[in-house]
Amino acid sequence: MSKKDFGDLNKRELVDLVYTMMNTDEKENTELPLVEQVVAERKKLNSKAKFRHILKSTVSALIVAAAAAVLISMLFLPVIQVSGDSMKPTLSNGDIILLVKSKHFSTGELCCVSWQNKLLLKRVIGLPGDNIDIDEKGNVFLNGKLLDEPYVISKSLGECDIDLPYTVPEGKLFVMGDQRETSIDSRNSAVGCIDYDQMVGRYLFRIWSAD
């Protein structure tokens, strides 16, 4: 085999080819390999190099995508799992939901609150300056008007120890759970109104239902 037959091979391919040929079972064959053998071996080396490149690129892309997903989740779209039944029937224990971080909330919106190193899911009832009143049957009055609450199955005054009617302080939100009889929320002085800094985000949609 002449020297020109190796003309298209680069240094790495030539070294790999010679090394491979030296370690074949045909140890007694001292002649240079045929052109067909060179071409076949070269294709094999190129295929291996291409596979390694594709594998490396795929792994790198997956790592970047995973890191981006974690970053987005932490900064903008937290994902949490519902714990407890205070928001039934809207949400159940074990549901996985997506939140969106926000500083703007509306009456009736579902939200996630950070309280004593716990995450609580509640519903916004009153904004800063709103007047809240609740009668013995559990009917909620917002600024003198009965609040329409189709999400509540059974109304109750619940664990309420605050003086009613109650005015929501500036910079805070009045929140309640949908299970009015058992939910511990802003009606109870142990929780009270929630500062905006305690708001983790508002409910966007349910990713997975535990039911």
Side-chain angles (χ1 to χ4, degrees), residues 72-85:
I72 290 173
S73 176
M74 292 177 61
L75 297 179
F76 306 108
L77 299 169
V79 176
I80 68 169
Q81 185 171 31
V82 178
S83 177
D85 296 318

Side-chain angles (χ1 to χ4, degrees), residues 188-203:
N188 192 289
S189 58
V191 177
C193 284
I194 303 299
D195 192 273
Y196 274 86
D197 291 338
Q198 294 175 258
M199 304 299 286
V200 178
R202 53 187 174 86
Y203 173 80

Side-chain angles (χ1 to χ4, degrees), residues 77-190:
L77 299 169
V79 176
I80 68 169
Q81 185 171 31
V82 178
S83 177
D85 296 318
S86 69
M87 296 308 296
K88 271 194 168 185
T90 306
L91 296 173
S92 300
N93 183 49
D95 286 354
I96 297 177
I97 64 172
L98 182 69
L99 306 173
V100 58
K101 283 187 174 293
S102 177
K103 291 296 183 183
H104 303 284
F105 298 90
S106 302
T107 300
E109 276 188 327
L110 285 174
C111 63
C112 182
V113 176
S114 176
W115 179 74
Q116 294 188 353
N117 297 319
K118 297 178 182 179
L119 295 180
L120 307 178
L121 285 168
K122 302 297 177 184
R123 194 177 295 273
V124 177
I125 300 299
L127 304 177
D130 282 345
N131 184 271
I132 307 292
D133 200 5
I134 309 172
D135 65 19
E136 292 296 327
K137 295 181 179 179
N139 294 305
V140 178
F141 295 86
L142 178 64
N143 298 322
K145 295 182 179 180
L146 178 64
L147 190 63
D148 182 26
E149 298 187 285
Y151 40 80
V152 177
I153 292 180
S154 179
K155 294 183 177 182
S156 172
L157 182 59
E159 298 289 331
C160 181
D161 66 356
I162 61 173
D163 293 329
L164 296 171
Y166 179 87
T167 300
V168 183
E170 287 299 318
K172 295 184 179 294
L173 297 168
F174 192 96
V175 300
M176 294 170 64
D178 289 354
Q179 284 289 326
R180 297 293 163 79
E181 192 171 357
T182 58
S183 175
I184 304 298
D185 44 48
S186 294
R187 293 172 295 174
N188 192 289
S189 58

Side-chain angles (χ1 to χ4, degrees), residues 21-41:
M21 292 302 179
M22 289 176 63
N23 287 277
T24 59
D25 294 334
E26 301 176 359
K27 293 183 179 179
E28 296 180 357
N29 186 3
T30 57
E31 296 181 0
L32 288 174
L34 299 176
V35 175
E36 291 79 6
Q37 291 177 294
V38 173
V39 173
E41 191 63 31

